[in-house]
Amino acid sequence: MAKIRFATAWLAGCSGCHMSFLDLDEFLIDLAQQIEVVFSPVGCDLKDYPENVDVCLVEGAIANEENLELAYLIRRRTKTIISFGDCAVTANIPAMRNMLGDESEVLKRAYLELGDATPQLPDEPGIVPPLLEQVLPLHQVIPVDIYLPGCPPPADRIRAAIEPLLRGETPKLEGRELLKFG
Amino acid sequence: MAKTVVIDPVTRIEGHAKISIFLDDAGKVDDARFHVVEYRGFEKFCEGRPFTEMAGITARICGICPVSHLLAAAKTGDKILGVKIPVAAEKLRRLMNLAQITQSHALSFFHLSSPDFLLGWDSDPAKRNVFGLIEENPDLARAGIRLRQFGQTIIELLGARKIHAAWTVPGGVRSPLSEESRQWILDRLPESFETLHLALNLFKGMLDEALKSEVDIFGEFPSLFMSLVAADGAWEHYGGHLRFVDSQGNIVADHLSEDDYLSFLGEGVEKWSYLKFPYYRPLGYPEGIYRVGPLARLNTCSHVGTPQADAELREMRQRFTNTVTSSFLYHYARLIEILACLEKIQDLMADPDILSDRCRAKGAVNELEAVGVSEAPRGTLFHHYRVDEDGLIQKVNLIIATGQNNLAMNKTVTQIAQHYIQGPEIPEGFLNRVEAGIRCFDPCLSCSTHAAGQMP
Ligand code: SF4
């Protein structure tokens, strides 16, 4: 059977979901036989998200313009998108800033009030992506196919989601062990 | 014509970053910049939360080193309660930090950086990663995966989960270590030592031959170094005091307390990065460049205090100089630190206190402001809270390990780019070397953009 074209991406998160993926430990060695990693911040040096991706695990919420662009690109080029972890599913911790109104509060505090040498806002065009006013969960900007909650989802939950996909089947995520926040 | 080359995204690091390389009319490298392009704003949105929640919230800053935040938050909480934590609690916290340093360094070495050395800087970028390593050298890959698993599993044995274990609390820790868990750790230690020696010997062999020139090119420059050291000057990761040394090994400042960090650390801001630029205040910005993390810890300490790691430290100092200034040797320092961690874990397993269930002191809010510090895998981490009488957070400041290497990371990418790039046609392998300059520091960028700077 042809290897499935597999990707992972991170948006606004803590990389804990990716670390939990790496907690698959020796199962990664089996996985290497069955997948071709075509894009991944931790597992691949290719810089452009390619066409015809079969499965992509997307960690993190949508917090800035680059997150948004990458999410759109991933949707256009991917068959099955997994909303990977609580930040992607609910916007979780990054969305705690939403209650402060728009993004200016958090920026002002860190860079203007508190940068003691050269206080200024990081805003170089084309380099530093502007923050969005509100942080959003992934499914609010693109349709997703599978939700994998957890902060992070433990490795065996990730495995339960991936294994059926390797066989071309849709995973059935049901019950407390597989559908649990936090 | 002048031109800018942008590497986007930098891969095999933790977090979102780009690198710009500025070429002049002749195609020579004028300058290079490392940009961090993410920001979440923890310090602001934590305001109003109970200080006891800070461990759980700040752990979510970073999924690679959540334990560092758990510890710094708990140590700040201890001071707010004004309690002395039980002896066993400190030993258990130390155990979790040693496990975390082990897993995080193993990740950096095996999963993220070793594909550069073992598969080659110029090898196929589609394969130059941990999955390529699995194909090429499955035994080494498996050993590295299992070494990381050893560290992650100790964290789980203590805190019931591998990532974001809500286990440390102000006053101590939630639960003790079971005898069964102690046995598991003891059983798995010999294999972990074996893997570490395998990696260390492999890497030292490459330093003699294949990786000789990288030592001179990848961020070789003078700077200050800062870390915690123990009262007797030994390597430290949890307690002790702060020390700065210069690149000749002179002690520049010693016996500094985390409580006074604002008097010796400042932060600059640049328009082109969400990551601020901490500096050593007495020297000003940006002259006050200093480095933190594994290399800094081995430079500031007089010795480690465990036999095998001390022998390795002596060898490193003999091979290079007493104070090691090449950023490439962060990789070497990381391996020596894993060895130190394994030895210290072994010692703790023989310590009668380690199974004690007296591991939590209770108290109420007694102090309204406190600073806690720990050595994260990537360097010194500060948490600073101000609370009201009910323990609700008024102000938070976090100084994160990786940020403190920001000036050094920029210097490193510029040095590498200037060495390799000699015209507008740039082979992919050269760009990979520039990125690898960043990998030396093993930065943790989700962590690093939350430093709020000075407490007003
Ligand atoms: S869901 Fe949790 S573990 Fe995953 S990125 Fe978000 S904070 Fe980190």
Side-chain angles (χ1 to χ4, degrees):
Chain A
M1 207 169 87
K3 287 187 170 186
I4 72 162
R5 289 168 59 78
F6 184 86
T8 76
W10 55 37
L11 306 171
C14 79
S15 65
C17 292
H18 272 76
M19 292 306 116
S20 197
F21 175 76
L22 294 180
D23 284 335
L24 287 169
D25 293 334
E26 285 163 272
F27 180 64
L28 292 171
I29 297 171
D30 303 339
L31 206 55
Q33 313 295 318
Q34 300 171 65
I35 62 173
E36 183 190 350
V37 182
V38 292
F39 184 87
S40 170
V42 292
C44 184
D45 274 358
L46 301 177
K47 306 294 179 192
D48 297 314
Y49 195 87
E51 305 273 359
N52 297 320
V53 176
D54 293 310
V55 177
C56 182
L57 289 168
V58 183
E59 169 191 311
I62 308 285
N64 68 37
E65 286 182 6
E66 280 181 7
N67 298 155
L68 195 58
E69 273 166 39
L70 183 58
Y72 290 146
L73 185 69
I74 291 172
R75 183 65 281 179
R76 283 199 300 278
R77 298 184 169 180
T78 314
K79 265 194 233 112
T80 305
I81 292 180
I82 303 180
S83 182
F84 182 31
D86 289 352
C87 288
V89 176
T90 70
N92 199 26
I93 298 267
M96 283 174 74
R97 79 159 156 88
N98 290 354
M99 64 196 172
L100 302 170
D102 65 17
E103 75 289 3
S104 61
E105 279 301 307
V106 286
L107 286 172
K108 217 167 61 194
R109 174 71 200 286
Y111 301 101
L112 297 184
E113 291 171 18
L114 304 165
D116 62 46
T118 60
Q120 55 188 327
L121 288 183
D123 58 1
E124 190 164 294
I127 291 290
V128 179
L131 301 187
L132 302 179
E133 257 180 48
Q134 296 277 295
V135 182
L136 302 171
L138 187 62
H139 63 269
Q140 228 164 303
V141 304
I142 56 168
V144 306
D145 304 293
I146 293 167
Y147 293 89
L148 189 55
C151 182
D156 40 10
R157 199 180 298 168
I158 300 173
R159 187 166 169 171
I162 296 180
E163 271 187 321
L165 290 169
L166 297 174
R167 299 189 297 265
E169 296 162 15
T170 310
K172 272 208 193 62
L173 298 175
E174 288 170 353
R176 195 170 185 279
E177 274 318 298
L178 294 180
L179 287 177
K180 189 166 160 272
F181 290 119
Chain B
M1 214 189 73
K3 169 178 157 186
T4 306
V5 177
V6 180
I7 304 175
D8 175 19
V10 180
T11 45
R12 284 186 285 129
I13 62 163
E14 186 280 309
H16 297 260
K18 307 175 187 176
I19 294 170
S20 296
I21 302 169
F22 302 97
L23 305 175
D24 64 15
D25 293 343
K28 293 238 183 254
V29 175
D30 218 15
D31 196 8
R33 281 175 181 171
F34 173 61
H35 314 280
V36 175
V37 295
E38 61 178 286
Y39 176 66
R40 285 177 293 161
F42 273 76
E43 56 289 329
K44 185 78 191 165
F45 64 60
C46 287
E47 289 174 6
R49 317 293 307 190
F51 78 102
T52 47
E53 274 184 11
M54 288 302 282
I57 297 176
T58 59
R60 266 75 181 184
I61 290 175
C62 176
I64 299 185
C65 50
V67 172
S68 308
H69 293 285
L70 293 176
L71 290 174
K75 286 181 74 183
T76 314
D78 300 342
K79 287 188 182 172
I80 289 175
L81 299 181
V83 296
K84 185 173 171 305
I85 72 167
V87 179
E90 179 174 329
K91 289 181 180 171
L92 288 163
R93 284 184 184 177
R94 282 178 177 270
L95 174 60
M96 193 184 261
N97 204 27
L98 294 165
Q100 162 175 255
I101 296 172
T102 301
Q103 67 83 9
S104 174
H105 285 1
L107 169 80
S108 168
F109 186 81
F110 290 97
H111 299 62
L112 301 179
S113 281
S114 77
D116 287 328
F117 327 137
L118 299 171
L119 306 176
W121 303 106
D122 304 293
S123 62
D124 178 3
K127 298 256 177 221
R128 193 177 54 215
N129 56 48
V130 65
F131 297 98
L133 184 72
I134 289 171
E135 253 176 58
E136 195 73 21
N137 194 338
D139 291 344
L140 185 75
R142 188 183 298 273
I145 286 171
R146 286 177 61 84
L147 183 60
R148 175 173 177 275
Q149 182 188 47
F150 175 67
Q152 287 287 76
T153 306
I154 294 177
I155 295 170
E156 188 179 26
L157 291 172
L158 288 166
R161 53 196 288 179
K162 287 181 170 157
I163 299 166
H164 305 329
W167 175 74
T168 65
V169 286
V173 301
R174 254 184 234 286
S175 52
L177 181 75
S178 70
E179 170 56 29
E180 204 187 342
S181 302
R182 190 183 79 103
Q183 203 50 52
W184 184 90
I185 296 169
L186 279 171
D187 289 348
R188 199 52 187 264
L189 263 168
E191 178 192 328
S192 303
F193 275 110
E194 205 178 301
T195 299
L196 187 275
H197 284 296
L198 179 79
L200 196 52
N201 289 333
L202 187 76
F203 192 70
K204 285 193 288 191
M206 285 190 289
L207 284 178
D208 291 334
E209 301 271 341
L211 297 174
K212 219 172 166 164
S213 59
E214 280 76 1
V215 176
D216 299 326
I217 299 163
F218 281 49
E220 163 65 279
F221 50 79
S223 77
L224 299 177
F225 295 93
M226 182 194 80
S227 80
L228 289 174
V229 292
D232 63 352
W235 183 86
E236 182 53 76
H237 64 99
Y238 175 86
H241 61 266
L242 290 156
R243 171 184 282 178
F244 281 87
V245 299
D246 67 16
S247 28
Q248 279 80 48
N250 304 307
I251 295 178
V252 173
D254 205 3
H255 302 290
L256 297 172
S257 161
E258 67 271 17
D259 295 340
D260 306 319
Y261 75 102
L262 287 174
S263 70
F264 53 86
L265 299 182
E267 289 187 292
V269 183
E270 299 291 350
K271 284 190 119 37
W272 41 268
S273 184
Y274 278 129
L275 183 54
K276 289 192 280 187
F277 295 79
Y279 60 95
Y280 178 57
R281 211 180 263 281
L283 294 184
Y285 179 73
E287 287 72 24
I289 175 174
Y290 65 100
R291 282 178 272 184
V292 297
L295 190 66
R297 286 190 288 259
L298 293 187
N299 280 336
T300 53
C301 74
S302 54
H303 64 292
V304 175
T306 55
Q308 294 187 40
D310 268 323
E312 291 296 338
L313 179 61
R314 276 194 299 277
E315 184 182 331
M316 176 162 100
R317 288 176 174 173
Q318 267 157 21
R319 278 167 177 265
F320 299 97
T321 43
N322 252 344
T323 304
V324 177
T325 49
S326 167
S327 304
F328 191 69
L329 297 171
Y330 267 96
H331 294 301
Y332 192 2
R334 231 166 254 128
L335 293 173
I336 296 175
E337 282 203 330
I338 298 180
L339 184 55
C341 291
L342 296 177
E343 288 183 287
K344 284 179 183 271
I345 291 172
Q346 189 165 41
D347 290 348
L348 280 172
M349 291 306 102
D351 189 316
D353 291 330
I354 206 71
L355 296 175
S356 163
D357 58 5
R358 305 186 74 82
C359 50
R360 183 170 184 177
K362 297 230 165 107
V365 174
N366 286 304
E367 296 288 345
L368 299 182
E369 189 162 353
V371 181
V373 66
S374 77
E375 282 292 331
R378 291 153 189 83
T380 319
L381 167 68
F382 298 85
H383 279 206
H384 179 185
Y385 312 153
R386 192 181 298 156
V387 297
D388 67 11
E389 296 288 344
D390 299 320
L392 298 182
I393 295 278
Q394 310 269 288
K395 282 278 182 278
V396 180
N397 187 19
L398 313 168
I399 301 261
I400 308 280
T402 289
Q404 299 167 79
N405 282 330
N406 201 1
L407 287 166
M409 289 191 283
N410 274 280
K411 229 175 154 134
T412 299
V413 290
T414 306
Q415 195 176 65
I416 299 172
Q418 283 175 337
H419 180 89
Y420 287 101
I421 297 172
Q422 304 290 346
E425 292 311 312
I426 309 174
E428 190 276 337
F430 286 4
L431 295 177
N432 180 41
R433 286 174 174 81
V434 176
E435 290 180 70
I438 295 300
R439 289 179 204 124
C440 294
F441 293 90
D442 183 29
C444 187
L445 304 177
S446 13
C447 273
S448 55
T449 47
H450 307 296
Q454 267 177 286
M455 205 85 138

